[in-house]
Amino acid sequence: MTADLRQRAEGLAAPLPALLAQAEHLAASVLPGAHGRRRAGQGDEFWQYRPATASDGAGRIDWRRSGRADAHFVRETEWQAAQAVTLWVDRAQAMAFSGAKDRAPKADRARLLGLALAVLLLKGGERVGLLPDLPPGMGRAQLEPLTLSLATDDTTDFGTPPPAAMPARSQAVFLSDFLGPTEGLEEAIARAVEQGVCGVLVQILDPVEEQFPYQGRSIFESMSGIIRHETLRANDLQTRYRDRLAARKDALSALARHSGWQVLTHHTDQPPAKALMALWQALDGGR
């Protein structure tokens, strides 16, 4: 490994222990004795074969099915398919916004909530994955790739959940501000509904994005610096801004209602434990 590559790898890994420690502490403070959310009626009937992942032990591999291909497969029952949750955590540049120096950026809160939820689910024996390319896996071994993936940032202005395949009849959680174009979100949820996946949209906003407290001369700039707008009367924009935000929230609620999903709103000045508990209850009620 070259010195430059080692330095970049160490820089990427530096925040991982702190993020994971925060997530585990948050999970323990919300549900110290969390168990799986098993439901009667989800039995051992065969559901599908799926490609084996690194978190699947050799004992779970169906060697007869694997012998007919160049890959390893796991025999999955109906219950196992239902006990999977796929996360999408928006890490685009817009999520780096914070309205105060002492307040966490939206992306940091989304990472924390996503990873804390994963800790709870994995402790309960369920499988957790992360879009776009980490399939659901079990056990503590799944936390390392989850944390590593969450530590990376996206270079786009606004994030969009990829319309990737998820386990049939499973659940999904999308965490974002959902302030960008909606077409990608609509496509992803439509694909999920086709697969029998239900889930929760968690809209994470900084309180100033709700209040729009600006007055007089103000300069508004996107996190990427590409979009810039200057006005001498920012207070004149307040009503129009709030109307557009309300319209976006209404559109999210309508999309969720039509798809059988739920919407939660969390502000970054609120305790993350409150949001995590609400999210856990929403998933449990969606069974």
Side-chain angles (χ1 to χ4, degrees), residues 2 24 66 69 72 83 92 106-107 116 159 167 176 191 194 196 211 247 255 271 280 284:
T2 65
E24 291 184 318
S66 301
H72 291 156
Q83 298 297 117
K106 293 182 290 184
S176 173
R191 175 88 178 261
E194 290 176 358
Q211 301 158 4
L255 175 61
W280 179 265
D284 201 39

Coordinates of all heavy atoms in Angstrom, one line a residue, residues 2 24 66 69 72 83 92 106-107 116 159 167 176 191 194 196 211 247 255 271 280 284:
T2 N 0.7 2.2 -0.9 CA 1.4 3.4 -1.0 C 1.1 4.3 0.2 O 0.0 4.1 0.8 CB 1.2 4.1 -2.3 OG1 -0.2 4.6 -2.3 CG2 1.4 3.2 -3.5
E24 N -24.5 2.9 18.9 CA -24.7 1.8 19.8 C -25.3 2.4 21.2 O -26.1 1.9 21.8 CB -23.5 1.0 20.1 CG -23.1 0.1 18.9 CD -21.9 -0.8 19.1 OE1 -21.0 -0.3 19.8 OE2 -22.0 -1.9 18.7
S66 N -26.2 -24.4 -5.1 CA -25.0 -23.7 -5.5 C -24.2 -24.5 -6.5 O -23.4 -24.0 -7.3 CB -24.1 -23.4 -4.2 OG -24.9 -22.6 -3.3
A69 N -24.5 -23.7 -10.2 CA -24.1 -22.4 -10.7 C -22.6 -22.1 -10.2 O -22.0 -22.9 -9.6 CB -25.0 -21.3 -10.1
H72 N -22.6 -19.1 -4.7 CA -23.2 -19.7 -3.6 C -24.6 -19.1 -3.4 O -24.7 -17.9 -3.5 CB -22.3 -19.5 -2.3 CG -21.1 -20.3 -2.4 ND1 -19.9 -20.0 -1.7 CD2 -20.7 -21.5 -3.1 CE1 -19.0 -20.9 -1.9 NE2 -19.4 -21.8 -2.8
Q83 N -38.1 -10.7 7.4 CA -37.3 -10.1 8.5 C -36.0 -9.4 8.0 O -34.9 -9.6 8.5 CB -36.9 -11.2 9.5 CG -38.0 -12.0 10.2 CD -38.8 -11.0 11.0 OE1 -40.0 -10.8 10.8 NE2 -38.2 -10.5 12.1
A92 N -25.9 13.3 0.1 CA -25.6 14.3 -0.9 C -25.1 15.6 -0.3 O -25.3 15.8 0.9 CB -26.8 14.5 -1.8
K106 N -27.4 17.7 8.7 CA -28.5 16.7 8.4 C -27.9 15.4 8.1 O -28.4 14.3 8.5 CB -29.4 17.2 7.3 CG -30.2 18.5 7.6 CD -31.1 18.9 6.5 CE -30.3 19.4 5.3 NZ -31.2 19.9 4.2
A107 N -26.8 15.4 7.4 CA -26.2 14.1 7.0 C -25.7 13.3 8.2 O -25.9 12.1 8.3 CB -25.1 14.3 6.0
A116 N -28.0 3.5 14.2 CA -28.6 3.1 15.4 C -29.8 2.1 15.2 O -29.9 1.1 15.9 CB -29.1 4.3 16.2
G159 N -29.6 13.9 -3.2 CA -29.6 12.4 -3.3 C -30.9 11.8 -3.7 O -32.0 12.4 -3.5
P167 N -35.4 -7.4 -0.8 CA -36.1 -8.7 -0.5 C -37.6 -8.5 -0.6 O -38.1 -7.6 -0.1 CB -35.6 -9.1 0.9 CG -34.3 -8.4 1.0 CD -34.4 -7.1 0.2
S176 N -33.7 11.3 4.5 CA -33.2 12.3 3.6 C -34.0 13.6 4.0 O -34.9 13.6 4.8 CB -33.5 12.0 2.1 OG -33.2 13.1 1.3
R191 N -40.9 0.9 -7.5 CA -40.2 -0.4 -7.6 C -40.4 -1.2 -6.3 O -40.6 -2.4 -6.4 CB -38.8 -0.2 -8.0 CG -37.9 -1.4 -8.0 CD -37.9 -2.0 -9.4 NE -37.0 -3.2 -9.4 CZ -35.8 -3.2 -9.9 NH1 -35.3 -2.1 -10.4 NH2 -35.0 -4.3 -9.9
E194 N -43.8 -2.8 -6.0 CA -43.9 -4.0 -6.9 C -43.4 -5.2 -6.2 O -43.8 -6.3 -6.5 CB -43.2 -3.7 -8.2 CG -43.9 -2.7 -9.1 CD -43.1 -2.4 -10.4 OE1 -42.0 -3.0 -10.5 OE2 -43.6 -1.6 -11.2
G196 N -43.5 -5.8 -3.1 CA -44.2 -6.0 -1.8 C -43.5 -5.4 -0.6 O -43.7 -5.8 0.5
Q211 N -38.3 27.4 9.6 CA -38.7 28.8 10.0 C -38.4 29.9 9.0 O -39.1 30.9 8.9 CB -38.0 29.1 11.3 CG -38.2 28.1 12.4 CD -37.2 28.1 13.5 OE1 -36.2 28.9 13.4 NE2 -37.3 27.2 14.5
A247 N -46.0 22.4 0.5 CA -46.4 21.7 -0.7 C -45.6 20.4 -0.9 O -46.1 19.3 -1.2 CB -46.3 22.5 -2.0
L255 N -47.6 10.6 -1.5 CA -46.8 9.5 -2.1 C -46.8 8.3 -1.1 O -47.0 7.2 -1.5 CB -45.4 10.0 -2.4 CG -44.4 8.9 -2.9 CD1 -44.9 8.3 -4.2 CD2 -43.0 9.5 -3.1
P271 N -33.8 15.7 20.1 CA -33.0 14.5 20.5 C -33.2 13.4 19.5 O -34.3 13.1 19.1 CB -33.6 14.2 21.9 CG -34.4 15.4 22.3 CD -34.9 16.1 21.1
W280 N -38.7 3.1 15.1 CA -38.8 1.7 15.5 C -40.3 1.3 15.6 O -40.7 0.3 15.2 CB -38.2 1.5 16.9 CG -38.3 0.1 17.5 CD1 -39.2 -0.3 18.4 CD2 -37.4 -1.0 17.1 NE1 -39.0 -1.7 18.6 CE2 -37.9 -2.1 17.9 CE3 -36.3 -1.2 16.3 CZ2 -37.3 -3.4 17.8 CZ3 -35.7 -2.4 16.3 CH2 -36.2 -3.5 17.0
D284 N -42.4 -1.4 13.4 CA -43.1 -2.5 14.1 C -44.6 -2.5 13.7 O -45.2 -3.5 13.6 CB -43.0 -2.3 15.6 CG -43.2 -3.6 16.4 OD1 -42.8 -4.7 15.9 OD2 -43.9 -3.5 17.5

